[in-house]
């Protein structure tokens, strides 16, 4: 755990030069606007620890799979969101000496991510090896209003010298992914220009042939000479300037970043230059004002205010900020990678995380179109999900959604996950239910949802088999969310979720048949669906084997779990934590330690089916063996702890979730931030402490106030209303900010708002 980020409600402040933590700060201070994003790399040269990172949404590369023992059914490739051309470079050379903080004496350094305004600011005083002192101030943002534009203002103030200098403003497309499987570069050059009017590079990905055009325009206080520089995959302008002691010298750099996701190859450079020209003509201050106003509006919709605990406030602001930077719902082809735009790990593509942890945030804080886009994304991938299942031997329209994907095709390639972590299907089906419960828009079933549900139900029906011994359906050879045990039989979470999916699909069929008969006929045709298929589904619902331990009165995570040596985590030597960095895989697999919520994840999803006593018993039993080595664990534990009255625990889980990256709890923020778990952090306040649920189509709250806080409030968009919920020592108050009179449930009583 680190503790070098200064606590502040709205700003992430690194107020000292910490070259050893640079990669962590680069992750934390990342910027994004839904279409592209980047790590907070320095503009000037830096020879210290850094991970250069620029990413363009939707642009991926199918990196050829690398495994030891090839198994039939493996995907051919792992899709990587590509590290894309870098437009940020402003290199400063003063009389032959390159400004590089790794080689200078650095004072008064600060890197500040201002979350209220969506702006990254940096300042420092540097003394070069020859003794030249200069101050630098930089301001950078990626516009959320014009989501193909970005801008930098970079000011140099010479403190003890006047001299000539060279300033290089560049676009560098000679970029490599750090995680490239075969050490390959994935970009080829299509066009590069640096002339009097334009500087840009159009680069193309190998194999997938996406093109990205990155164009820049630079203005400076003055210059005597401008040189156009072109190298392979690189275009820049080099200015010779006069720096004068104590006189600020400012560089404005404007960028446009576009891709063939949105423009045809024949016109991409022309369009990019137009987008750039418009931003350039409007100017830095106009763009900045727009950015500040747009973020003000975003915060109006999604802010959470905590009074009395600055660390907790900063944590939740950070999580909300990153979620809003990563996904805007404007494009149904895009999704939320576990690292968003903050690093390469996980390939930057889609996991079950989206449905299980991110959907509730977007549902409740943004226009319903945004959550709708997330759901339609999976509907569009249904055909591929059916193909994925076919590759594994399933038939008749059974759909297995991928564990990891960029385009619907599975690209994960560890057999115990690719073939066995099939619970991802459950989260995707369950997301349909969550969406409909929340919005009340059952028509979604007829338009999209039912087709997905049928595909998933068909999969479950083929994935189980009848056990003559148990006289029950069993589900063999699976991996639950607890990846620290593989190839288990009857993982309670997976089997229970499958039953719930089947039930919901049957209800959905009846609903669509009765209310949208024409759609029902269409769906029957499209899916070649025969209603008699539901007979087997019903049988599975009635006869699924779900392990239950009579002695402890808890659900059994999977067959054999109770045979393990059940030693609580509290008795583990802290030196062996995290166990995945200290123990052999063999030892982990045989241990009772649970990576992340598993049985508890199921209880969380289907909470209405369990009484509080059952939830508490299972919570207390499983929590003691859980090591939370996935960022997705704390949020579920917070919500259930709050539900059963274990408030101190709930608070601890909140802190773990919300400050995971800021304090680098898992020692891995250098790789990027845990973006998808940030949706879970939002849930800890709204569902955990706020106790928000949907009951009979109404919002229901049963709030608790953590002891350390004076009060907290959050905004919720529900149907046509925007409500502000304020929880203080005097109770829960609800204010309607938009919409018309509505009813909500507070502490079990229906009230009018
Ligand atoms: C978790 C998975 C998750 C993935 C991406 C893994 O460590 O165990 O549940 O989908 O990370 O966030």
């Amino acid at each position: 755990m680190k503790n070098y980020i200064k606590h502040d409600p709205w700003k992430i402040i690194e107020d000292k030069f910490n070259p050893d933590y640079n990669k962590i700060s680069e992750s934390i201070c990342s910027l994004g606007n839904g279409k592209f994003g980047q790590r907070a790399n320095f503009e000037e040269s830096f020879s210290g620890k850094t991970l250069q990172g620029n990413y363009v949404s939707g642009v991926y590369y199918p990196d050829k799979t690398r495994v030891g023992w090839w198994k039939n059914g493996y995907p051919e490739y792992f899709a990587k969101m590509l590290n894309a051309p870098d437009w940020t470079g402003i290199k400063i050379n003063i009389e032959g000496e390159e400004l590089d903080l790794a080689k200078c004496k650095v004072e008064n350094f600060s890197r500040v991510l201002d979350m209220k305004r969506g702006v990254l600011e940096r300042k420092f005083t540097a003394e070069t090896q020859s003794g030249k002192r200069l101050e630098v101030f930089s301001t950078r943002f990626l516009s959320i209003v014009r989501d193909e534009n970005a801008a930098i203002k970079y000011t140099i103030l010479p403190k003890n010298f006047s001299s000539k200098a060279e300033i290089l403003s560049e676009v560098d497309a000679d970029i490599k992914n750090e995680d490239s499987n075969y050490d390959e570069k994935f970009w080829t050059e299509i066009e590069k220009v640096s002339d009097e009017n334009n500087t840009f590079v159009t680069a193309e990905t190998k194999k997938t042939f996406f093109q990205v055009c990155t164009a820049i325009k630079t203005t400076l206080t003055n210059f005597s000479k401008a040189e156009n520089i072109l190298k392979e995959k690189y275009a820049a302008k080099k200015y010779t300037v006069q720096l004068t002691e104590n006189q600020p010298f400012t560089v404005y750099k404007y960028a446009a970043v576009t891709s063939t996701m949105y423009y045809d190859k024949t016109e991409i450079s022309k369009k990019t230059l137009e987008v750039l020209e418009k931003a350039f003509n409007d100017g830095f201050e106009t763009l900045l004002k727009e950015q500040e106003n747009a973020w003000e509006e975003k915060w109006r919709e999604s802010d959470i205010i905590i009074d009395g605990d600055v660390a907790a406030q900063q944590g939740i602001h950070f999580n909300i900020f990153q979620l809003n930077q990563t996904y805007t719902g404007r494009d149904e082809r895009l999704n939320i990678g576990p690292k968003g735009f903050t690093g390469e790990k996980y390939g930057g593509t889609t996991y079950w995380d989206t449905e299980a942890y991110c959907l509730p945030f977007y549902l409740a804080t943004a226009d319903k179109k945004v959550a709708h886009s997330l759901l339609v994304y999976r509907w569009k991938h249904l055909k591929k999900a059916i193909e994925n299942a076919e590759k594994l031997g399933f038939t008749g329209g059974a759909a297995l959604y991928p564990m990891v994907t960029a385009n619907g095709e599975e690209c994960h390639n560890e057999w115990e996950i690719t073939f066995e972590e099939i619970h991802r299907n459950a989260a995707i089906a369950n997301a349909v239910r969550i969406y409909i419960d929340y919005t009340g828009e059952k028509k979604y079933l007829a338009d999209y949802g039912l087709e997905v549900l049928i595909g998933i139900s068909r999969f479950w029906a083929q994935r189980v088999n009848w056990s003559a011994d148990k006289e029950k359906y069993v589900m063999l050879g699976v991996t639950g969310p607890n990846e620290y045990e593989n190839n288990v039989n009857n993982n309670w979470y997976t089997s229970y979720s499958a039953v719930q999916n089947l039930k919901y699909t049957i209800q959905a069929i009846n609903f669509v048949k009765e209310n949208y008969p024409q759609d029902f006929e269409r769906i029957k045709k499209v899916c070649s669906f025969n209603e008699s298929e539901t007979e087997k589904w019903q049988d599975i619902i009635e006869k699924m084997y779900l392990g239950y331990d009579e002695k402890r009165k808890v659900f059994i995570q999977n067959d054999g779990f109770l045979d393990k040596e059940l030693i609580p985590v509290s008795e583990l030597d802290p030196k062996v934590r995290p166990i995945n960095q200290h123990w052999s895989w063999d030892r982990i697999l045989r241990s009772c330690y649970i990576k992340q919520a598993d049985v508890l994840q199921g209880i969380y999803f289907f909470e209405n089916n369990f009484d509080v006593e059952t939830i508490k018993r299972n919570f207390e039993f499983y929590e003691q063996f859980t090591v939370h080595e996935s960022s997705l664990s704390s949020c579920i534990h917070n919500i259930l702890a709050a539900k059963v009255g274990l408030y101190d625990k709930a608070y601890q889980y909140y802190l773990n979730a919300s400050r995971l990256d800021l304090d680098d709890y898992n020692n891995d923020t250098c790789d990027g931030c845990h973006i998808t778990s940030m949706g879970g952090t939002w849930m800890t306040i709204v569902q955990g402490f706020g106790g928000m649920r949907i009951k009979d189509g109404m919002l229901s709250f049963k709030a608790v106030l953590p002891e350390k806080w004076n009060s907290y409030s959050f905004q919720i968009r529900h149907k046509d209303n925007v409500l502000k919920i304020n929880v203080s020592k005097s109770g829960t108050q609800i204010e309607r900010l938009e919409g018309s009179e509505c009813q909500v449930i507070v502490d079990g009583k229906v009230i009018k708002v």
Side-chain angles (χ1 to χ4, degrees), residues 338 346 351-353 357 403 421 423 481-483 595-596 629-632 674 676-677:
Y346 292 110
Y351 286 65
W352 71 300
D353 305 27
Y357 305 95
M403 188 65 190
E421 213 175 320
H423 68 78
N482 170 30
E483 291 171 344
K595 183 181 182 192
Q596 66 200 88
E629 288 177 15
S630 157
S631 63
L632 303 172
H674 300 80
T676 46
S677 82

Side-chain angles (χ1 to χ4, degrees), residues 42 198 311:
F42 297 164
N198 302 310

Side-chain angles (χ1 to χ4, degrees), residues 156 163-169 195-197 199 217-228 236-244 248-252 280:
I156 305 162
S163 80
K164 282 215 173 333
E166 282 174 356
I167 296 183
L168 195 62
S169 178
D195 62 21
E196 211 179 303
N197 302 315
T199 309
K217 233 177 161 69
T218 315
T219 61
L220 302 94
T221 303
N222 67 54
F223 61 90
S224 56
K225 198 169 93 185
E227 228 180 298
N228 298 313
K237 268 188 139 19
K238 192 200 267 180
Y239 301 92
T240 305
V241 307
Q242 175 63 41
L243 298 178
T244 309
F249 185 95
T250 297
V251 181
Y252 287 97
F280 176 75

Side-chain angles (χ1 to χ4, degrees), residues 120-394:
L120 174 65
E121 289 171 323
R122 201 162 53 94
K123 74 172 174 35
F124 56 82
T125 306
E127 187 177 310
T128 65
Q129 279 165 356
S130 70
K132 293 195 178 65
R133 284 176 69 79
L134 65 160
E135 283 176 16
V136 169
F137 308 86
S138 86
T139 304
R140 190 201 300 182
F141 58 91
L142 268 57
S143 174
I144 59 168
V145 182
R146 313 179 191 207
D147 58 11
E148 292 169 334
N149 282 126
I152 300 175
K153 178 181 177 185
Y154 193 92
T155 300
I156 305 162
L157 182 64
K159 294 305 285 181
N160 65 352
F161 69 96
S162 297
S163 80
K164 282 215 173 333
E166 282 174 356
I167 296 183
L168 195 62
S169 178
E170 49 182 26
V171 175
D172 185 3
D174 193 15
I175 300 291
K176 199 172 129 197
N177 266 55
E178 215 177 44
D179 66 352
S180 165
N181 276 348
Y182 295 89
D183 211 24
E184 261 180 286
K185 288 190 177 171
F186 303 136
W187 294 99
T188 56
E189 177 188 300
I190 298 296
E191 189 182 6
K192 66 183 171 213
V193 170
S194 185
D195 62 21
E196 211 179 303
N197 302 315
N198 302 310
T199 309
F200 70 89
V201 179
T202 304
E204 186 174 76
T205 60
K206 294 179 184 165
K207 292 187 187 166
T208 36
F209 308 110
F210 288 105
Q211 286 186 7
V212 166
C213 181
T214 310
I216 55 166
K217 233 177 161 69
T218 315
T219 61
L220 302 94
T221 303
N222 67 54
F223 61 90
S224 56
K225 198 169 93 185
E227 228 180 298
N228 298 313
I229 311 228
L230 288 173
K231 288 192 287 192
E232 201 200 338
K233 303 183 208 170
Y234 178 96
K237 268 188 139 19
K238 192 200 267 180
Y239 301 92
T240 305
V241 307
Q242 175 63 41
L243 298 178
T244 309
E245 188 171 335
N246 284 323
Q247 282 188 24
F249 185 95
T250 297
V251 181
Y252 287 97
K253 182 168 183 179
Y254 301 85
V257 177
T258 63
S259 79
T260 44
M261 293 279 290
Y262 302 98
Y263 300 103
D264 196 77
K265 287 185 183 174
T266 54
E267 56 164 21
I268 185 165
S269 56
K270 182 171 155 275
K271 291 286 180 191
T272 310
L273 295 174
E274 283 169 18
V275 170
L276 178 63
E277 195 65 24
K278 172 96 184 54
F280 176 75
N281 289 337
D282 290 345
F284 187 86
E285 294 307 327
T286 304
L287 297 175
L288 180 60
K289 194 82 218 125
E290 278 176 9
Q291 173 83 343
E292 291 169 348
N293 292 343
W295 271 105
E296 194 179 326
E297 180 59 22
K298 278 236 185 261
W299 285 112
R300 207 181 62 76
E301 288 188 323
S302 54
D303 197 8
I304 292 184
I305 295 169
I306 298 173
D307 180 20
D309 187 341
V310 178
Q313 174 69 81
Q314 185 182 39
I316 192 64
H317 273 158
F318 178 64
N319 285 257
I320 296 172
F321 180 73
Q322 289 293 358
L323 285 166
N324 278 328
Q325 290 206 109
T326 308
Y327 185 73
T328 60
R330 287 188 198 144
D331 185 337
E332 288 162 358
R333 294 168 302 172
L334 303 181
N335 210 280
I336 307 154
K339 298 273 172 216
F341 298 119
T342 71
E344 296 175 5
K345 210 174 160 200
Y346 292 110
T349 41
T350 314
Y351 286 65
W352 71 300
D353 305 27
T354 295
E355 283 76 13
Y357 305 95
C358 299
L359 179 68
F361 168 78
Y362 295 105
L363 254 181
T365 63
D367 190 279
K368 63 174 178 267
K369 192 174 107 275
V370 177
H372 191 269
S373 295
L374 284 177
L375 263 70
V376 169
Y377 174 91
R378 295 294 192 177
W379 174 78
K380 288 191 164 170
H381 288 177
L382 179 59
K383 204 164 150 264
K384 292 267 189 219
I386 293 172
E387 284 169 21
N388 290 333
E390 280 167 356
K391 283 182 199 159
L392 307 190
F394 296 86

